[in-house]
Amino acid sequence: MREISAISAVDPGAIGPGRLILVVGPSGAGKDTLIRLAQVTCGGDNKFIFARRVVTRAATAYESNEQVSPETFRLARIEREFAVDWEAHGHCYALPRAIVDDIRANHTVIANVSRTVVDAMRRAYANVTVVLITAPPEILVTRLSARGRDSDGHIADRLSRGDGSVTPDFTITNIGGADDHARELVRIIRAD
């Protein structure tokens, strides 16, 4: 599995001064929903950049991804067009290299990423905040079943991945109204 493909940074050369907010959590936790709602709230402020992932599967109504073919993704990786890329559930995901310029311009970049890239991103960027969005297993199963996206594999396999070794800076347990939890996320995004 590839983690960081276009960045080779160590602490002294970490990319900054802007913030990188990494939103992580299990499938079905509502990450894309909360990010979308936070984006609406922060929409008038160009300090906040909501990164659009590049993926090798179609986006749903709840996420804003750029869909590309596996071959296009492979070529973009070779051309070093990604700040980071990873594989999950049989698909390839990436954040565009443009986030590097955004962070250098002192913007706050918000991105939904895999937990597998968090450690590398913390080393590569000077100001990283990790937000874990989660929910109890029975809620995750219900949400994933309702999603009906067979291309992502079996629900049991997706839920068995666990949280790994990621230590979040903030945790949002998304079990109530999405608007309330989106406000929690906005407070984290707007904190300096």
Side-chain angles (χ1 to χ4, degrees), residues 101-176:
D101 295 333
D102 293 331
I103 290 170
R104 285 186 175 137
N106 204 23
H107 293 288
T108 296
V109 174
I110 302 93
N112 177 354
V113 300
S114 169
R115 292 163 279 189
T116 63
V117 300
V118 168
D119 288 340
M121 299 294 277
R122 280 184 164 151
R123 287 189 302 274
Y125 293 87
N127 191 359
V128 175
T129 300
V130 177
V131 180
L132 172 65
I133 297 177
T134 191
E138 62 275 9
I139 291 176
L140 298 176
V141 168
T142 300
R143 290 176 183 165
L144 289 173
S145 296
R147 185 182 290 173
R149 193 166 62 206
D150 294 335
S151 68
D152 288 344
H154 299 312
I155 291 173
D157 294 339
R158 298 190 73 171
L159 295 178
S160 68
R161 286 182 47 222
D163 285 334
S165 60
V166 172
T167 302
D169 299 296
F170 298 94
T171 298
I172 297 173
T173 304
N174 187 16
I175 58 173

Side-chain angles (χ1 to χ4, degrees), residues 10-82:
V10 294
D11 289 342
I15 298 165
R19 289 176 68 208
L20 178 59
I21 299 176
L22 302 176
V23 178
V24 299
S27 297
K31 299 178 298 291
D32 287 310
T33 298
L34 297 187
I35 290 170
R36 181 176 41 84
L37 292 170
Q39 185 172 8
V40 169
T41 300
C42 297
D45 191 336
N46 64 2
K47 176 181 178 169
F48 304 112
I49 308 294
F50 288 81
R52 189 168 183 225
R53 293 184 304 182
V54 178
V55 300
T56 58
R57 67 162 171 76
T60 68
Y62 300 103
E63 57 193 359
S64 176
N65 295 329
E66 177 186 346
Q67 179 185 359
V68 298
S69 71
E71 180 62 14
T72 299
F73 191 97
R74 186 186 72 76
L75 293 173
R77 181 188 282 157
I78 290 169
E79 293 296 320
R80 302 177 64 85
E81 294 177 14
F82 302 139

